[in-house]
Amino acid sequence: MPTVTRLLIAFLMTGSGALAEGPVDPAVLAGPCANCHGPDGHSAGAIPSIAGLPEAETAALLRAFRADEVQGATVMPRLMKGYDEAQIDMLAKWFAEVKS
Amino acid sequence: MRAQPARHRILVVGGGFGGATAARYLLKRDPSLEVTLVEPSQSYVTCPFSNLYLGGLRDWDSLAHGFDDLRALGVRVVHDRVEAIDAEKRQAALSDGTRINWDRLILSPGIDIRWGTLEGYDEAAAELTPHAWKAGPQTQLLQRQLAEMPDGGTFVMVIPEGAYRCPPGPYERAAMVAHYFKTHKPASKILLLDGKDQFSKQGLFQQGWKALYGEMIEWVGLSGDGQVVRVDARAKEVETAFGTVHRADVLNVIPPQQAGLIAAQAGVTDASGWAPVKGGSFASALVEGVHVLGDATIASPMPKSGFAANTQAKVAVAVILAELAGAPIPEASYANTCYSLIGPGYGISVAGVYRAEGDAIVEVPDSGGVSPLDAPASFREAEARYGEGWYASICRDIWGSA
């Protein structure tokens, strides 16, 4: 999908918080995830890959991290506290749809 | 037949965490762009994990990342140095006289040392008592000095106040040198002379140092007379603000820093020596059509880290693509995670999530923070493993090499 179309869809989808000053580009929101989980969620090392995971499962797991409900979690609870409901849904959808 | 529209030309200066990310993501998101990356070195050696090399836990080659994968993606990689930027003409001049025109310029020049600010510490002094704060020959020099030091010697590190690359870096380095000493020279000591009273992940570092290395590492902060005001590189001596002279067997001086020099030449730095940017785009606050990334910028509360530079690059790329397409500018989203290794199987981390608020950058309230102090050994072990996983993934995300 061309970037512009993606941006427009994101623009129509977004309904998030008062801080929002422009459309939410899911690729930007998902950008930092690649630093640990690898390009497009394909890990190169010990951190789990997240590419192609079922959307509902990912959304539920991210919410569980945020609520400190995941046993043995390390950095994810601290990171997920920085994301709201709409952002979590968008991330889950993005990684579910990423090409493997 | 219609004429092909002109391809937009993007020039990226610097092949490190910010610049190489920008080059890759520009072409990944819009293959029609003409992207040129100028980087003097044939391969980029990362500061992250260079402390592990000093600790004997990582070999040198594993820190070096070439540019073949970026070339394969279509990035024109030029191994030269940018000598001058003319922002009005939108033109850069390289050392060999070549001129490159751009529609958008991305500067990711990293840091340069502010020579002469610390008395006695100039370029000649750095050849005797390395800073090793730009990974490369300086790191290898420090490693050789540690290897040649007799058991029972003292390693002294001078740590600056103010803004510098990688806030937890000096303290991880202390731990890695301690690991090397514990393994090879157990009677040796480490003295850290610090120009400030608090440091990144302080509680975690001090807990970890003690757990793994007992009393080997001594940290002296500003109020304990830790601020070094003069270096005698030949004698391997430093003098503090209150006149105490410490003699080292190996002396590592981490000096005051500023944005990579080309940033000042381009006019994007202010009196602080760093580059102010707009928080939503990392566009220069001073020069139009120029983005600045990474350690060179004033991006507080984001730290000067490779992780941060990578996320800044992705935002800048999205903004540039939107501008070129005449589309609305997307909302910025940044994050950071810095892992530090205290010893094999003992890692700690600090994390943060950031957004733009107007031209400022803010940390999202109640997010981020450091590893818990009371965590079990399994937590430290996991963070050591994840730190290594982070390095593999981010290197693949940037240079295509793990």
Side-chain angles (χ1 to χ4, degrees):
Chain A
M1 197 191 301
T3 305
V4 177
T5 318
R6 239 184 199 152
L7 281 171
L8 282 175
I9 290 172
F11 184 65
L12 297 172
M13 276 169 49
T14 185
S16 67
L19 281 184
E21 290 172 357
V24 176
D25 177 353
V28 169
L29 198 64
C33 308
N35 291 20
C36 293
H37 294 281
D40 297 320
H42 299 283
S43 176
I47 296 170
S49 283
I50 51 173
L53 292 183
E55 186 178 338
E57 271 176 46
T58 306
L61 181 58
L62 294 181
R63 286 192 171 86
F65 276 129
R66 198 177 55 173
D68 291 313
E69 287 165 357
V70 180
Q71 277 273 314
T74 53
V75 79
M76 283 301 288
R78 288 175 260 159
L79 288 168
M80 289 323 298
K81 289 186 178 73
Y83 295 85
D84 66 20
E85 294 292 308
Q87 289 168 330
I88 284 179
D89 288 338
M90 198 177 276
L91 287 172
K93 184 170 161 50
W94 174 261
F95 285 105
E97 289 175 354
V98 91
K99 271 180 273 170
S100 46
Chain B
M1 238 173 73
R2 282 188 306 175
Q4 286 282 330
R7 295 168 74 200
H8 293 293
R9 299 158 305 175
I10 322 282
L11 174 61
V12 183
V13 178
F17 283 83
T21 301
R24 173 177 299 273
Y25 275 76
L26 280 163
L27 274 181
K28 186 176 155 116
R29 299 196 62 177
D30 184 353
S32 79
L33 295 173
E34 191 180 306
V35 179
T36 303
L37 174 67
V38 181
E39 160 60 43
S41 306
Q42 297 289 324
S43 65
Y44 182 84
V45 182
T46 63
C47 274
F49 277 51
S50 66
N51 286 331
L52 278 67
Y53 165 75
L54 295 174
L57 296 173
R58 191 101 192 176
D59 64 52
W60 185 253
D61 291 344
S62 75
L63 305 177
H65 303 275
F67 294 93
D68 287 348
D69 195 70
L70 283 167
R71 280 196 182 89
L73 196 70
V75 178
R76 187 166 76 99
V77 182
V78 179
H79 292 299
D80 202 343
R81 190 174 289 279
V82 175
E83 295 293 345
I85 300 280
D86 186 331
E88 244 166 63
K89 282 192 190 159
R90 302 201 166 203
Q91 191 180 70
L94 308 189
S95 298
D96 70 357
T98 312
R99 284 168 200 283
I100 300 177
N101 295 296
W102 75 77
D103 298 306
R104 286 288 190 288
L105 173 67
I106 297 175
L107 291 176
S108 192
I111 57 146
D112 264 302
I113 306 301
R114 216 184 263 271
W115 298 113
T117 316
L118 175 56
E119 189 189 333
Y121 200 70
D122 56 14
E123 283 165 284
E127 293 306 313
L128 299 169
T129 56
H131 55 78
W133 218 240
K134 293 170 79 165
Q138 278 277 304
T139 319
Q140 292 171 301
L141 175 61
L142 181 57
Q143 189 275 335
R144 279 198 304 278
Q145 292 185 350
L146 290 167
E148 287 160 8
M149 190 192 87
D151 189 13
T154 301
F155 171 64
V156 176
M157 191 194 303
V158 177
I159 305 171
E161 54 168 344
Y164 65 91
R165 159 177 281 179
C166 190
Y171 313 99
E172 181 191 57
R173 176 171 291 177
M176 288 293 95
V177 172
H179 172 72
Y180 170 72
F181 284 170
K182 187 182 173 182
T183 318
H184 295 96
K185 296 165 185 179
S188 307
K189 286 283 176 203
I190 296 174
L191 175 63
L192 309 179
L193 298 172
D194 207 328
K196 54 193 178 303
D197 270 329
Q198 271 105 37
F199 62 86
S200 171
K201 294 182 263 190
Q202 184 167 355
L204 289 162
F205 271 115
Q206 290 178 324
Q207 182 189 54
W209 291 343
K210 198 163 176 60
L212 299 188
Y213 310 113
E215 303 300 315
M216 186 185 274
I217 300 173
E218 183 191 354
W219 175 75
V220 181
L222 176 66
S223 52
D225 194 22
Q227 189 183 25
V228 167
V229 296
R230 190 181 61 83
V231 175
D232 183 339
R234 227 160 262 290
K236 289 196 170 64
E237 283 178 357
V238 296
E239 186 182 334
T240 65
F242 289 95
T244 312
V245 173
H246 298 275
R247 210 199 151 270
D249 293 287
V250 175
L251 176 59
N252 175 205
V253 179
I254 303 170
Q257 299 155 31
Q258 59 192 332
L261 290 177
I262 193 64
Q265 200 284 325
V268 298
T269 55
D270 67 15
S272 71
W274 304 103
V277 291
K278 297 177 184 170
S281 61
F282 278 73
S284 167
L286 302 177
V287 181
E288 210 173 315
V290 182
H291 286 73
V292 194
L293 305 175
D295 294 350
T297 63
I298 300 168
S300 177
M302 290 189 86
K304 296 189 186 300
S305 77
F307 192 122
N310 169 291
T311 74
Q312 293 160 8
K314 288 167 182 172
V315 168
V317 162
V319 169
I320 289 170
L321 294 178
E323 283 175 354
L324 293 175
I329 304 301
E331 193 183 326
S333 178
Y334 311 101
N336 181 62
T337 302
C338 286
Y339 287 100
S340 301
L341 194 68
I342 294 183
Y346 194 122
I348 58 173
S349 69
V350 58
V353 182
Y354 309 89
R355 311 250 180 270
E357 215 175 87
D359 281 341
I361 297 167
V362 295
E363 187 155 15
V364 178
D366 303 318
S367 71
V370 298
S371 315
L373 261 177
D374 58 355
S378 59
F379 197 104
R380 306 282 184 245
E381 194 280 328
E383 291 215 295
R385 203 154 27 87
Y386 290 153
E388 205 171 316
W390 162 77
Y391 188 77
S393 281
I394 198 170
C395 290
R396 186 167 291 171
D397 190 47
I398 297 174
W399 299 282
S401 50

